[in-house]
Amino acid sequence: MASFANAIVLLVTMGSLAWEALGRIEAPAPVSGTTVMLVAAIGMVINAVTAALFLKGSKTDLNIRGAFLHMAADALVSVGVVAAGALYWWRGWYWIDPVVSLVIATVVILGTWSLFRQSLHLLFDGVPEHLNLDEVRRSLMALPDVMSVHDLHVWAMAASENALTAHLVVDDRARPADQLLHAASEMLFGKFGIRHATLQLESTHYARGCESAGCA
């Protein structure tokens, strides 16, 4: 929810910035170049340092990525404002401010769209993009005594916490269930980072009943 809200705020803010910039292109207004450059430069440094603090975590946590994009967007806006203030101060171009604003809004919207799309996907319990469902299935099938896998579902519980449920059809002569569950849990966490796994073990006879009647 936090990453989705962050994406919405960024998209709405940049849309408002673009709308205002279009209005200023039609009716350019003078600005104080020196004051604009000074204030924007201070904001640029603060936002760039803050964004750098979020950079590492943004690769694995969608919420941190949202915060990183927010800070990076603010830093980029500040860079554009500094550049626009310098050009206005040097050349006296009234139109440079709205043009730079449009460029910044476009760049930020393009960068934020993936965050919006991923967070919306996870809100509807979609499989996290960094996990391959077929690979998870193959890894479960590779466990000793597992003959087939069905009703496999993976979804995000939080930005960096994923859950899994699955039915494992096991050989009737399989080792004790606790051993198989332990091996499956270790594999899921070690290979895919999935901590929360709910696994139902089924005999071949029970699984045949599921195929004909369906299992909840």
Side-chain angles (χ1 to χ4, degrees):
M1 288 295 293
S3 56
F4 180 73
N6 213 336
I8 291 294
V9 169
L10 280 172
L11 291 174
V12 170
T13 302
M14 291 302 105
S16 301
L17 178 65
W19 181 263
E20 180 68 19
L22 289 172
R24 289 175 66 88
I25 287 178
E26 295 180 358
V31 296
S32 176
T34 303
T35 303
V36 166
M37 289 171 59
L38 178 61
V39 174
I42 294 172
M44 178 181 65
V45 172
I46 294 173
N47 289 316
V49 171
T50 306
L53 295 175
F54 287 118
L55 179 59
K56 185 177 179 179
S58 67
K59 299 176 182 178
T60 56
D61 190 304
L62 201 60
N63 286 333
I64 295 178
R65 184 183 173 196
F68 166 74
L69 283 175
H70 209 132
M71 293 299 101
D74 287 345
L76 184 60
V77 168
S78 298
V79 170
V81 172
V82 170
L87 288 172
Y88 175 80
W89 181 74
W90 177 43
R91 304 292 296 181
W93 293 338
Y94 286 3
W95 54 266
I96 193 65
D97 180 56
V99 168
V100 170
S101 297
L102 281 174
V103 172
I104 292 171
T106 301
V107 171
V108 174
I109 288 172
L110 291 176
T112 304
W113 186 253
S114 63
L115 175 67
F116 172 77
R117 180 177 55 80
Q118 289 181 42
S119 59
L120 184 62
H121 176 72
L122 295 182
L123 279 175
F124 285 95
D125 289 337
V127 179
E129 290 194 354
H130 68 282
L131 292 177
N132 186 307
L133 201 61
D134 289 334
E135 186 179 354
V136 175
R137 185 185 303 275
R138 287 194 297 269
S139 297
L140 287 170
M141 288 280 293
L143 292 170
D145 302 322
V146 175
M147 302 180 66
S148 65
V149 177
H150 65 96
D151 290 309
L152 173 63
H153 305 284
V154 180
W155 70 98
M157 297 177 63
S160 58
E161 291 286 336
N162 300 312
L164 173 148
T165 60
H167 293 206
L168 307 182
V169 181
V170 299
D171 191 296
D172 294 337
R173 296 164 296 176
R175 55 184 165 167
D178 286 351
Q179 293 182 22
L180 178 55
L181 290 173
H182 180 71
S185 297
E186 281 197 334
M187 182 277 294
L188 289 170
F189 177 66
K191 192 171 183 179
F192 302 104
I194 298 175
R195 293 178 181 273
H196 308 279
T198 302
L199 302 172
Q200 177 172 312
L201 304 184
E202 300 173 354
S203 66
T204 54
H205 175 74
Y206 185 87
R208 283 194 294 270
C210 281
E211 292 176 359
S212 60
C215 297

